[in-house]
């Protein structure tokens, strides 16, 4: 059972950029790729909690601004020689609006 | 069973023997005796030490630590007084010690002419570091020096002493200087060059006596002329140091006689270096000494090897003069000369031909083609066909200018490239074969061009030839995994194809990813910005977070904020505003930076626009402490308050900062302006440093004080502040247009060469054009990003707040 909630217009997030969504249990980063896909991930690199929303987005990946770990936006998996995983949440774009699954977010709150 | 090897003498030859033995892990317990109270140094480099270009530390090749690390027992400052070849022992003041194998490497001793007064204090020979230090000490008092001997050694001594401010006279017995290497005409040019430097040269001058009571006061010549002298340098020649060998009843002619295995008449005693004689030949140059060292090591390890002397040329280096001689250039029956003179340039070339071959060559003033001529001599090439143009060198053979690399390509493997270190072409090729692809790597692996550097061009040509023809050129590192192209390739494409956007670059250069990566995008963004300042729109998403948000990210994700302080000047009002901002935004740490500014550390990302606005309102702008662009211009107080300041260094610093601020560069750019050579602003370790002096402004570049620590090198000195400003704009623009992204100026300088940059600046038209392009670019970028970003403060906030939803 999903509970899509409207976050903002797509244009509020720059292409190959990110913005934050505040939740009761920390921030979730909403990424927008060059192809206008949208992804939601915890805003913390598994390495040293680097703020992923500040990283450079390329393809469907983001590079952490602190130590250049590269993380897949689709799976949350750390790429290349490093290892780790960032929690991901369902997100989509509909009629130019970004939608997030509040159900998942609340599960995150419980977790 | 481990055998005991005793080595007498720590010179360049024996040093090389030890290296070979240790490298091969030869089974020897090694003890070294050296009469000098120190280990091995590069004796060829004593001249630069004398002239002050280098220090002793620069020329040490093996210090005490090296011997200790390698398990060599050393007795420095200890003379061996006797060898007993029957008992197999050596004797010194420390007692008697047994050897299984003995290596005599006693080198040569200066020849002392037996005149009255030769033992007076102030008579110095020129052979080792002690001699060099004695000359340096003597020169500190100034006065007059007489150098006896107009050969290479004497002239080096004369040049060095003149450099140190002494009034120098060279006495030479023969009719012209360096008569063994040069003919009369070249000797004349050399003499003229030396006289231009204030050195007096007297030929046909025979020393009758050295005058003085306890110390030298003068020199008496045949003909009864008296020259005043505070020191006398005796540099009339050297002879093999054979006293120990003679005392041990080894076979000694002029030198210690050895066979091709470098064994003396006693097979357990070997000899190497300047003290040996093989088939009547003595050896003074480094290359054969090093060849001998290799053979000594092999013989000691019981491996077969033979030392074969090779024909050698001498590329002579009298400090500041360019001369070359090879082969036999005496006149004789059936010999013909080809001579070329250009008196205005001071260039002289002479070739001696016999039976259609060159047998000798002398060159002065321009020795660029010397290796080619030497090759013709050694290979006994028939030059009849090219006789008409022969003297002009390889570039003019075959009817037109040919590839200068061909001459290098034609050199055999054993052609000596680096005389200082005795490195042959083959050794450089070997280094290239195992991965050396640039001058730095060649230096590190072979030592070629690592001493005096006159062979640098030749080494580079060997690199070009070898990498171009015999080897596949290893692909230069590409920017990142998105492309095969190097930074340089891409920069060329951007300019030549007029690529003005990132997608255009990706398309034209065949990027393998849809939109690059965090490595290439910031580089491309800079290149496009630098090349097309009026056409290209900056892409914040291709900037590292610091530049995108105009603040430095810290390890906890907070930011630091640094307002600009022009030239390091602030006011009480600004300080109050900074203090107020620190209070208001609960800044945990306030720190003075290394660049004379105040750093507010620990500001939350969403507070940035607000704190900037407060600082803007107090008249301050972004300090760009985060940018690959101008950071700071550090200054001292100059003439305003300092009793030593020669110019308004603070004023110049402010002017520079107001001109350069906001500019983007390949890497961060830091400047320093010091008001006098006391250099309180530490300008000589900045990317660009200005030292104000009475006569103007010394502008130097390429300093660093980060991962590498570098002193700047002088670019130019100019008389006025306006010229200084133009030069700095021009050099900054040249750096922006040419350097690789993330190369500091010193790295760029290492690639293009300081001389190239000097040329860019020396050409006044080019300098003005560079400065003008800089201004065009700055018409776009000289602005405050804080003020601009304050207007989009909402983008620094979260797009949504779900704390309530999540709580439900």
């Amino acid at each position: 059972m999903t509970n899509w909630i409207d976050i903002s217009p797509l244009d509020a997030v720059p292409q190959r950029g990110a913005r934050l969504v505040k939740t009761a249990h920390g921030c979730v980063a909403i990424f927008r790729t060059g192809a206008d896909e949208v992804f939601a991930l915890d805003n913390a690199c598994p390495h040293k909690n680097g703020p992923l929303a500040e990283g450079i987005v390329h393809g469907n990946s983001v590079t952490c601004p602190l130590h250049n770990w590269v993380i897949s936006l689709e799976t949350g998996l750390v790429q290349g020689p490093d290892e780790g995983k960032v929690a991901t949440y369902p997100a989509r774009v509909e009629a130019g609006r970004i939608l997030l699954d509040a159900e998942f977010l609340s599960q995150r709150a419980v977790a | 069973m481990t055998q005991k090897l005793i080595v007498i003498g720590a010179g360049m030859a024996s040093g090389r023997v030890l290296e070979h033995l240790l490298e091969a892990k030869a089974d020897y317990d090694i003890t070294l005796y050296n009469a000098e109270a120190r280990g091995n140094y590069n004796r060829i480099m004593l001249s630069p030490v004398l002239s002050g270009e280098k220090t002793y530390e620069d020329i040490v090749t093996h210090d005490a630590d090296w011997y200790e690390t390698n398990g060599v027992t050393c007795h420095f400052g200890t003379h061996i007084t006797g060898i007993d070849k029957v008992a197999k022992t050596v004797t010194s003041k420390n007692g008697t010690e047994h050897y299984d194998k003995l290596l005599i490497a006693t080198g040569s001793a200066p020849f002392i002419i037996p005149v009255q007064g030769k033992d007076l204090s102030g008579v110095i020979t020129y052979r080792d570091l002690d001699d060099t230090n004695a000359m340096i000490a003597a020169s500190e008092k100034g006065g007059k020096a007489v150098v006896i001997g107009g050969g290479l050694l004497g002239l080096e001594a004369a040049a060095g002493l003149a450099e140190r401010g002494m009034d120098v006279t060279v006495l030479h017995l023969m009719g012209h200087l360096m008569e063994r290497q040069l003919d009369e005409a070249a000797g004349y040019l050399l003499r003229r060059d030396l006289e231009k430097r204030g050195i007096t040269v007297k030929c046909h001058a025979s020393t009758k006596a050295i005058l003085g009571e306890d110390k030298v006061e003068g020199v008496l010549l045949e003909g009864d002329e008296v020259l005043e002298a505070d020191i006398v340098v005796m540099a009339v020649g050297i002879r093999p140091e054979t006293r120990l060998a003679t005392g041990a009843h080894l076979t000694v002619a002029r030198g210690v006689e050895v066979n091709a295995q470098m064994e003396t008449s006693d097979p357990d005693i070997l000899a190497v270096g300047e003290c040996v004689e093989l088939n009547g030949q003595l050896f003074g140059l480094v290359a054969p000494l090093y060849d001998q060292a290799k053979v000594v090591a092999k013989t000691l390890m019981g491996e077969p090897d033979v030392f074969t002397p090779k024909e050698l040329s001498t590329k002579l280096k009298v400090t500041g003069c360019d001369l070359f001689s090879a082969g036999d250039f005496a006149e004789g029956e059936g010999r013909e000369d080809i001579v070329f003179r250009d008196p205005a340039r001071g260039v002289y070339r002479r070739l001696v031909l016999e039976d259609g071959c060159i047998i000798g060559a002398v060159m002065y003033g321009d020795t660029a083609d010397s290796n080619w001529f030497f090759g013709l001599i050694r290979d006994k090439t028939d030059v009849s066909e090219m006789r008409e143009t022969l003297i002009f060198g390889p570039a003019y053979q075959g009817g037109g200018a040919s590839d200068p690399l061909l001459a290098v390509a034609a050199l055999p493997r054993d052609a000596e490239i680096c005389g200082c270190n005795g490195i042959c072409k083959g050794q450089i090729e070997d280094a290239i074969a195992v991965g050396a692809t640039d001058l730095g790597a060649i230096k590190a692996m072979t030592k070629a061009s690592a001493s005096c550097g006159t062979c640098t061009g030749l080494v580079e040509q060997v690199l070009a030839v070898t990498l171009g023809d015999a080897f596949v050129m290893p692909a230069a590192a590409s920017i990142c995994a998105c492309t095969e192209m190097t930074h340089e390739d891409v920069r060329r494409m951007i300019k030549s194809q007029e690529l003005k956007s990132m997608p255009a670059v990706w398309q034209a250069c065949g990027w393998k990813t849809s939109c690059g990566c965090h490595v290439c995008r910031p580089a491309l963004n800079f290149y496009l910005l630098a090349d097309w300042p009026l056409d290209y729109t900056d892409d914040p998403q291709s900037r590292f977070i610091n530049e995108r948000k105009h603040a430095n990210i810290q390890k906890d994700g907070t930011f630091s904020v640094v307002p600009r302080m022009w030239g390091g000047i602030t006011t009480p009002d600004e300080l109050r505003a900074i203090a107020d901002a620190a209070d208001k935004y609960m800044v945990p740490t306030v720190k003075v930076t290394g660049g004379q500014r105040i750093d507010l550390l620990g500001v939350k990302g969403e507070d940035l626009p607000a704190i900037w606005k407060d600082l803007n309102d107090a008249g301050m702008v972004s300090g760009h402490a985060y940018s690959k662009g101008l950071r700071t211009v550090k200054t001292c107080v100059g003439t305003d308050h300092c009793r030593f300041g020669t110019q308004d260094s603070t004023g110049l610093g402010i002017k520079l900062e107001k001109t350069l601020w906001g500019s983007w560069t390949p890497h961060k750019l830091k400047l320093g302006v010091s008001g006098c050579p006391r250099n309180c602003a530490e300008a000589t370790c900045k990317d660009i440093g200005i030292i104000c002096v009475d006569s103007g402004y010394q502008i130097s570049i390429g300093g660093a004080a980060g991962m590498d620590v570098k002193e700047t090198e002088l670019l130019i000195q100019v008389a006025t502040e306006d010229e200084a400003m133009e030069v700095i704009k021009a050099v900054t623009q040249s750096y922006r247009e040419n350097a690789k992204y993330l190369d500091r100026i010193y790295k760029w300088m290492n690639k293009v060469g300081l001389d190239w940059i000097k040329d860019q600046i020396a050409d006044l038209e080019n300098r003005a054009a560079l400065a003008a392009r800089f201004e065009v670019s700055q018409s776009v970028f000289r602005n405050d990003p804080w003020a601009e970003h304050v207007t989009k403060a909402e983008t620094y906030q979260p797009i949504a707040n779900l704390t309530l939803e999540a709580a439900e």
Side-chain angles (χ1 to χ4, degrees), chain B residues 246-258:
Chain B
T246 308
H249 306 293
L250 297 171
T251 310
V252 175
R254 282 185 299 158
V256 185
E257 286 197 34
V258 294

Side-chain angles (χ1 to χ4, degrees), chain B residues 90-159:
Chain B
V90 296
T91 308
S92 70
K93 66 176 182 198
N94 297 351
T96 297
E97 191 169 5
H98 174 267
Y99 65 80
D100 295 305
K101 294 279 183 187
L102 179 66
L103 178 62
I104 300 178
T106 45
S108 55
F111 187 72
I112 311 277
I113 43 173
V115 291
Q116 183 196 331
K118 66 180 167 58
D119 298 321
L120 285 172
S121 148
V123 179
I124 303 170
T125 56
Y126 186 16
R127 183 63 202 151
D128 59 23
L129 184 72
D130 294 331
D131 297 333
T132 309
N133 285 338
M135 278 191 265
I136 293 171
S139 70
E140 273 160 12
K141 297 185 207 110
K144 293 179 193 296
V146 171
V147 176
I148 303 178
L152 189 57
L153 215 52
L155 297 183
E156 286 291 359

